[in-house]
Amino acid sequence: MDYKPDKILIRSELDKVTNDLADYVNLNLPRHIIIYGSKGSGKTLSALTMAKALKESKNIPYYYVNARENPTSIKIYRTMTKISSRGHDIDEVKNRFDSLLSGKSIVILDEVDFLQDYDILYHITRHTKANLILLTQKVYWYKDMNDESVKSSLQPDHIVFHEYTANEMKEILEMRAEEGLYNYSQEAISLLSAMLVRDYRSDARIGIKALEILGRSNKWTDEDVGNALKQAYIEVEGETLRNLGDRDLLILASLIKNQDTNKAYAEVSNSNNILLKGMSKSTFFQSVNYLQNLGLITLIKKKIGRYYTMESQILLSDESIVSAELRKRL
């Protein structure tokens, strides 16, 4: 799933990214970019492909950091400078960081909505010559940012990656099939692409995994396509659930039963489960926000009578994988 092909689908949205990076390279004017898009929409692959092309053609280095794995500015400074030892103070790390980005360079921060502070964004925009490309699933991430000094420095271009059409998905899967499979069926890939758009929010990760499953069995009937998609979904989304802590998984299960977050919290706090019983409301909503950052749920403000409540909408195509994961553990 981490394979980066040399040939990718060139989305129409990449025209704007290309123009911004051309201004940066030719005019030395950073044009910071935020790319929004759902899971499997090609954000990471597109950004890395363009950065790689700039490195090969213009000798401009690029750096990639995932903010879910490095959620604080200090961790990002240390990751990029490769100074992980506690024996170096933060000023020394920042000096090395500034030296690293003293010339033209691209810094890609993936899943940037997991950042716990914005110092890294302020520092890059004020003290280096790097151009930022920020990737996120959350369309309101920048709007909800409560640091005006960072916004003033960043002033990004906002680019939204639409969900793939069936034809785009078919083109992606055919490119992967040509590169990775000895044999495949174009008719089956057409069906697979249509089902991905209809039932799985055009998630290319699930399509690529399903293609691998079909290729290994070399069976391409309509039934095989449907079964491969179900298995691929469990493997791809199941990985996210497997990485959840027990408490977060239990809270997700409660939100599936109770869309009203207040009702879900009441059930959780009154539970006999030692992980949940007596949980504070702030701890509950920290978990809820984490689940939203992972793209498992989204929160909608809803008015009931004279009062407002937050309602959770589950973004899983098959909610039964949550109960299945709970059964495995409990």
Side-chain angles (χ1 to χ4, degrees):
M1 296 302 290
D2 294 330
Y3 175 65
K4 304 291 186 294
D6 292 328
K7 184 181 178 183
I8 70 167
L9 174 75
I10 304 300
R11 312 178 53 117
S12 59
E13 296 93 335
L14 288 180
D15 289 344
K16 177 60 177 169
V17 180
T18 304
N19 290 336
D20 282 355
L21 293 179
D23 284 348
Y24 172 59
V25 171
N26 296 325
L27 305 177
N28 204 25
L29 296 173
R31 297 288 298 273
H32 305 300
I33 301 164
I34 304 179
I35 299 177
Y36 306 90
S38 58
K39 290 183 285 188
S41 61
K43 301 183 300 297
T44 303
L45 181 59
S46 296
L48 287 172
T49 299
M50 300 193 77
K52 181 181 176 183
L54 274 179
K55 183 178 181 180
E56 292 174 350
S57 62
K58 299 292 184 180
N59 202 29
I60 294 175
Y62 69 91
Y63 305 90
Y64 171 87
V65 181
N66 188 298
R68 189 196 301 197
E69 299 166 1
N70 302 275
T72 65
S73 295
I74 291 175
K75 285 189 175 182
I76 295 174
Y77 290 133
R78 291 188 181 278
T79 297
M80 287 181 58
T81 58
K82 296 182 170 58
I83 302 177
S84 56
S85 169
R86 297 295 180 188
H88 302 269
D89 64 33
I90 189 59
D91 288 336
E92 183 180 351
V93 175
K94 280 190 173 182
N95 287 336
R96 179 83 64 85
F97 184 82
D98 292 348
S99 176
L100 195 69
L101 303 181
S102 59
K104 291 177 184 175
S105 58
I106 306 293
V107 177
I108 302 168
L109 296 182
D110 205 348
E111 299 191 273
V112 70
D113 42 280
F114 279 87
L115 277 180
Q116 296 174 8
D117 68 272
Y118 302 130
D119 182 71
I120 185 72
L121 304 181
Y122 184 85
H123 191 88
I124 287 176
T125 53
R126 291 294 177 99
H127 299 287
T128 77
K129 295 182 179 179
N131 201 104
L132 279 165
I133 301 178
L134 309 177
L135 311 178
T136 178
Q137 293 181 48
K138 296 181 68 175
V139 176
Y140 295 106
W141 172 75
Y142 182 81
K143 182 181 177 183
D144 292 342
M145 186 190 294
N146 56 7
D147 193 322
E148 293 302 322
S149 62
V150 173
K151 286 185 173 181
S152 175
S153 300
L154 197 58
Q155 296 188 14
D157 278 341
H158 303 268
I159 298 170
V160 179
F161 276 19
H162 64 261
E163 292 184 356
Y164 291 120
T165 65
N167 283 337
E168 289 172 328
M169 187 64 68
K170 183 171 180 282
E171 186 177 344
I172 291 168
L173 295 179
E174 284 184 343
M175 283 193 288
R176 291 297 184 97
E178 287 169 13
E179 189 170 0
L181 300 179
Y182 287 109
N183 181 51
Y184 64 92
S185 161
Q186 287 188 330
E187 291 79 10
I189 287 180
S190 295
L191 176 61
L192 176 59
S193 303
M195 292 178 72
L196 279 163
V197 172
R198 186 189 69 190
D199 299 328
Y200 297 94
R201 301 175 62 86
S202 300
D203 190 332
R205 303 169 310 154
I206 296 171
I208 291 165
K209 175 57 72 174
L211 189 63
E212 180 199 348
I213 293 166
L214 288 164
R216 288 185 183 279
S217 68
N218 199 24
K219 295 178 181 178
W220 301 92
T221 68
D222 291 1
E223 184 180 0
D224 292 320
V225 170
N227 290 336
L229 259 177
K230 290 176 184 176
Q231 183 182 337
Y233 177 77
I234 291 170
E235 289 189 29
V236 173
E237 284 292 11
E239 183 65 25
T240 303
L241 297 183
R242 284 191 291 275
N243 289 331
L244 280 181
D246 290 347
R247 186 182 68 182
D248 292 327
L249 187 64
L250 287 163
I251 289 174
L252 177 59
S254 75
L255 291 170
I256 290 173
K257 287 195 291 182
N258 300 288
Q259 287 188 314
D260 186 318
T261 53
N262 288 323
K263 291 180 180 177
Y265 170 68
E267 178 182 281
V268 163
S269 60
N270 291 324
S271 169
N272 290 324
N273 189 299
I274 192 170
L275 292 172
L276 303 178
K277 189 173 183 179
M279 177 184 291
S280 70
K281 204 161 192 175
S282 62
T283 300
F284 173 79
F285 276 100
Q286 283 174 7
S287 179
V288 169
N289 287 329
Y290 179 66
L291 295 171
Q292 181 172 235
N293 282 345
L294 290 174
L296 296 171
I297 65 170
T298 187
L299 295 177
I300 306 294
K301 193 174 183 180
K302 190 173 182 180
K303 189 173 184 181
I304 300 178
R306 292 185 298 168
Y307 303 98
Y308 285 94
T309 185
M310 296 303 293
E311 188 175 273
S312 65
Q313 292 189 353
I314 309 301
L315 299 181
L316 292 165
S317 298
D318 183 358
E319 297 172 1
S320 68
I321 65 173
V322 176
S323 56
E325 180 63 24
L326 276 173
R327 282 196 299 273
K328 287 180 190 175
R329 298 191 197 185
L330 305 177

